[in-house]
Every structure is written in C-alpha cells, then in structure tokens.
Amino acid sequence: MSKTFKLDGREIPFETGQTIMDAALAAGVYIPHLCHNPEFAPHGSCRVCVVDIGGRQVSACTAAASEGLEVDNSSEAIQETRRAILQMLFVEGNHVCPACEKSGACQLQAVAYYTGMLAPHFTHFFPRRSVDASHPDVVIDFNRCILCELCVRASRDHDGKRVFAISGRGLESHLVIDSHSGLLGDSSFAATDKAAHVCPTGAILPKGRGYETPIGERLYDREPISIVGDVRAHEEEVV
Amino acid sequence: MAEKPRVATASLCGCFGCHMSLLDIDERILQLVDLVTFDRTPLTDIKTLGDCDLGLIEGGVANAENVEVLREFRRRCKTLVAVGACAVNGGIPAMRNQFSLAECLRESYCDGVGVHNPGIPNDPEIPLLLNQVHPIHEVVAIDYFLPGCPPSADAIWTFLTEFLEGRPIAFPYTQIHFD
C-alpha cells in the first residue's frame, strides 16, 4: 500500500477502488456522513460528507481516492457548507428533538452538533406526513425521514425483501412501503431485519423502547460523533 | 461609570422553562444583577419595554400578541436572542402544525373529553391564534440562537458572560443540545 493522498495535510494511504471516505475511515479520520454506511453501496444523497478538492466540492463517499489529491475536510468554509445542508434537512422535516426517542443517539443531531449548527435558520416546511404504527414491533415517523435510503438498501441488499422504496419527485419524494395497503404492518418487514437497525434518524424506531438511556449517558451526550462513531458501531448498546 | 447594559426577556409561546433555566444559574444571579439592569421581563414589574442592549426571547410565535411583543422587542433591543427550541424552530407547540387550527380549536373547546359549554372563545380581549406556530426568526431578524429544551444554565451563563465581555461566543460540546 504505497499510494497516498492528503486529507487536511495528513497522508492517507489507499488502495485502488477505495473512495475518499473508505480510506479516511480506514485511517481513523472522521468525515461527517449520514447516508454512508460501509456495509452498503455509497449513495451520495445527504451531501454532508462534502469535501473540497482544488476548489471543487465533492461528496467524499462517492469520489474515488487518487494519488496526490489534496482534500480539505475541516476548513470553516467546508463546515459552513455542511451546516447549510444540515439546516435544509432540519427544516424539510419535523425534527422535534425534545420529543424524539432517538435524541442523544441520533446521527442527524450528532452531525449537526459536530458542525456547530445552532439553529436551522431557513423557513420551516412543517410537512404533514403520517406516522405508521401498524407494525407490532416497529413504528415509522415519516416526518423524520431524510431519504438516505439506508433502509431501502438494507432491505434490498441484505434482507432480500425490498420492503422500502422512494417514490415521487423533487420535494414530493417520500419513503413508501411494499404492501397492498402501503402499511408496514402488512409488509414482510420484521424487527430483526437489518433495515430496522440502519436509520440514522428517529424515523424507524422499535416500539416500547423509548427513553431507556438516562440523559448524560446517551451515545453523543459527552463526546462528539467524530470520537464516538456512528450509531451503527454501537448497535448492541442502543437497540 | 457607564450605565449598565439593559436586558429584557419575554416568553411568547413558551413554557417558562427557559426562564427557569436562566434562574438555574443560582447564586450567579447576584453577579448578573451587578453586571446588568433588567428592563421588562416576567421577573420584574415593568409593563412597557424600554431601549435595551439585549433581549432574550423564549417561545415560538403562536398568536397575534406574540407577533406584537416580538416586533416591539426587535425595535427596542440592539441584540435579540432566540432562547430555546421553541424560539429556534417552533418546538413542541409547533407539533400542532400537523393539524388545522380549526381542528385544534374544535378538539379543545367543542369535542374534547370533559368539555362543558362547548364553544370557541371569541372575546376580542383574547389574541387570535395564528394558523401555524412559527420560529421567531420567521417574523423578525435574530442575532443569536441558543438551542436546547431548555438550554442549560451553563449555556445561558456562557452566552451572557461572553456577550457582556464582548467576546465571540463559543460553547463547550456538552453545553449545546437540541433537547
């Protein structure tokens, strides 16, 4: 492994075919991300992994690493772009953290903390989306969905069930469920599915398990996500 | 000696929790009253707002009186701060935006459990509710945002002391939370 590129001035080794994100994660360098999960193919939808390469902003999860690249992952300009992207995600949904069971162990919230976002600033959409509580073990609040398609990918590529898909265009894009009624309870979804455990927000939650962890001991209460890591890495603790 | 900075506070569509969190600075309140003079706030008896250096607003904007008070604060305060989740993004009260105002009023005053004398209050003394609850930055320009439901006393103290010293405001990781 002799090839390297520079990430914030630090030499990062990589192998041909690796993305900037793959190589950075392997080297223990944090690049904020929401739709990226190394168990699944890169998606490139959330854009919070945006980095600067020679004045061009690209998503680290889809850009291939190449010899001699100089990548900016931490300048104030890059953090500002990420904050603006997060602010858009926050106003597009109803992210009422004080009333969300995922608060404190939510990747969307943790990345917002990491980038120093204090408020969403933009005009709120206040969408009126339904909550699907038809399944005996799992509830979906579509108001918190950020369309990362991790559940879509997990259900299709890991569970072999294709329970989820994204339907609609533009701002009308939304998560749909493959069942005759469109309800989760009528689908083949099970709480043991991979798709039940990959949501980076509070959109897909187990029923009857909320508020189990005392405040102060939740995943991101004491240290930022750059140190703690993804929710995924702590599955057995938080689920 | 220059006159002390004047500070005003208000609760719009808030629960007074952010004011309680301000009071959670405990004995540091004695330091604070040495540093500032309080103008109109729920903690004083002053009914009309004077010219102030700093205005702290908790709560979102849910009715016509909230709009009037907020605009008055913007006119009178050099620096205006959104304190708490409700002021920042509407908070829990904005969950009523999932329903129409008519549905909310009918449920509360006509069809709800235990309602006697059903009828939506219509005295002109009562400010009319807006169709939706709004964060305060959608009504007036805001200079600083202090998230949290409520922000911790330490976060409020960090903000106040840094602001009064004229320093750039930076919070330790553990002081910033949205919940």
Side-chain angles (χ1 to χ4, degrees):
Chain A
M1 207 189 312
S2 59
K3 289 181 289 187
T4 62
F5 66 93
K6 273 193 177 162
L7 190 63
D8 295 332
R10 178 177 157 184
E11 296 284 348
I12 305 287
F14 73 96
E15 285 164 32
T16 307
Q18 271 190 316
T19 60
I20 292 172
M21 178 71 81
D22 294 333
L25 287 177
V29 178
Y30 178 71
I31 299 177
H33 53 272
L34 292 170
C35 71
H36 182 72
N37 178 327
E39 292 173 64
F40 303 103
H43 194 245
S45 64
C46 77
R47 313 311 288 183
V48 303
C49 70
V50 66
V51 291
D52 189 293
I53 302 173
R56 237 183 113 220
Q57 297 194 334
V58 301
S59 55
C61 72
T62 55
S66 68
E67 185 74 45
L69 279 185
E70 294 202 11
V71 184
D72 166 17
N73 173 45
S74 61
S75 67
E76 181 49 29
I78 277 292
Q79 293 291 53
E80 199 175 305
T81 304
R82 289 171 180 161
R83 274 199 296 276
I85 290 164
L86 286 158
Q87 286 165 335
M88 288 187 247
L89 289 174
F90 269 84
V91 300
E92 276 171 21
N94 294 316
H95 296 284
V96 191
C97 300
C100 180
E101 302 95 306
K102 195 72 173 272
S103 192
C106 166
Q107 217 165 306
L108 175 65
Q109 188 189 60
V111 173
Y113 292 166
Y114 172 79
T115 61
M117 181 188 124
L118 293 179
H121 291 283
F122 299 120
T123 300
H124 279 259
F125 288 27
F126 292 123
R128 288 187 188 176
R129 304 184 196 134
S130 62
V131 172
D132 182 344
S134 60
H135 195 278
D137 306 315
V138 176
V139 62
I140 298 191
D141 186 340
F142 293 98
N143 295 291
R144 300 169 182 163
C145 176
I146 59 166
L147 304 175
C148 70
E149 293 199 37
L150 271 171
C151 58
V152 177
R153 287 177 276 165
S155 187
R156 181 190 63 211
D157 303 341
H158 185 278
D159 306 328
K161 288 186 176 179
R162 295 180 182 269
V163 170
F164 300 100
I166 302 294
S167 181
R169 290 177 186 277
L171 280 175
E172 302 299 317
S173 303
H174 61 287
L175 188 66
V176 290
I177 291 153
D178 179 27
S179 70
H180 60 87
S181 60
L183 293 172
L184 191 65
D186 293 328
S187 74
S188 58
F189 186 78
T192 48
D193 287 357
K194 187 88 182 170
H197 304 278
V198 292
C199 183
T201 74
I204 301 180
L205 287 173
K207 279 188 176 176
R209 300 283 307 265
Y211 311 115
E212 283 182 328
T213 313
I215 290 172
E217 293 174 23
R218 299 171 307 180
L219 202 50
Y220 303 117
D221 275 345
R222 282 176 280 195
E223 288 182 315
I225 189 168
S226 54
I227 293 170
V228 175
D230 292 354
V231 175
R232 177 181 58 81
H234 300 266
E235 264 281 281
E236 49 312 325
E237 297 164 42
V238 293
V239 175
Chain B
M1 193 181 101
E3 212 184 321
K4 290 195 281 187
R6 292 187 77 83
V7 179
T9 77
S11 179
L12 306 177
C13 181
C15 70
F16 276 93
C18 294
H19 277 85
M20 295 310 293
S21 201
L22 166 64
L23 295 180
D24 277 341
I25 62 174
D26 298 331
E27 72 275 13
R28 288 174 286 186
I29 194 108
L30 299 174
Q31 277 171 264
L32 188 60
V33 293
D34 281 339
L35 291 171
V36 304
T37 303
F38 280 105
D39 193 272
R40 174 187 161 167
T41 131
L43 312 171
T44 65
D45 250 348
I46 300 169
K47 309 293 185 213
T48 51
L49 185 62
D51 289 326
C52 290
D53 298 282
L54 180 64
L56 305 175
I57 307 282
E58 87 163 62
V61 178
N63 67 34
E65 192 219 8
N66 294 158
V67 176
E68 200 179 306
V69 170
L70 180 57
R71 286 188 174 151
E72 178 70 2
F73 265 73
R74 181 67 277 182
R75 271 194 295 272
R76 294 285 190 174
C77 300
K78 282 186 201 147
T79 300
L80 200 58
V81 187
V83 183
C86 297
V88 165
N89 65 13
I92 303 271
M95 291 173 84
R96 85 152 151 95
N97 297 352
Q98 290 286 303
F99 308 94
S100 73
L101 179 57
E103 282 175 285
C104 295
L105 288 169
R106 270 200 302 272
E107 176 68 21
S108 299
Y109 296 108
C110 303
D111 310 329
V113 177
V115 170
H116 298 278
N117 265 334
I120 294 167
N122 63 354
D123 192 299
E125 188 91 350
I126 302 167
L128 288 172
L129 290 168
L130 308 183
N131 280 342
Q132 291 209 313
V133 177
H134 297 272
I136 65 173
H137 78 263
E138 292 181 12
V139 179
V140 298
I142 298 300
D143 302 298
Y144 289 100
F145 294 85
L146 201 46
C149 186
S152 67
D154 287 338
I156 295 172
W157 184 248
T158 301
F159 174 81
L160 288 172
T161 49
E162 303 281 79
F163 176 80
L164 292 170
E165 292 285 335
R167 284 193 296 257
I169 296 154
F171 300 94
Y173 178 79
T174 49
Q175 285 186 7
I176 292 300
H177 50 82
F178 298 163
D179 58 357

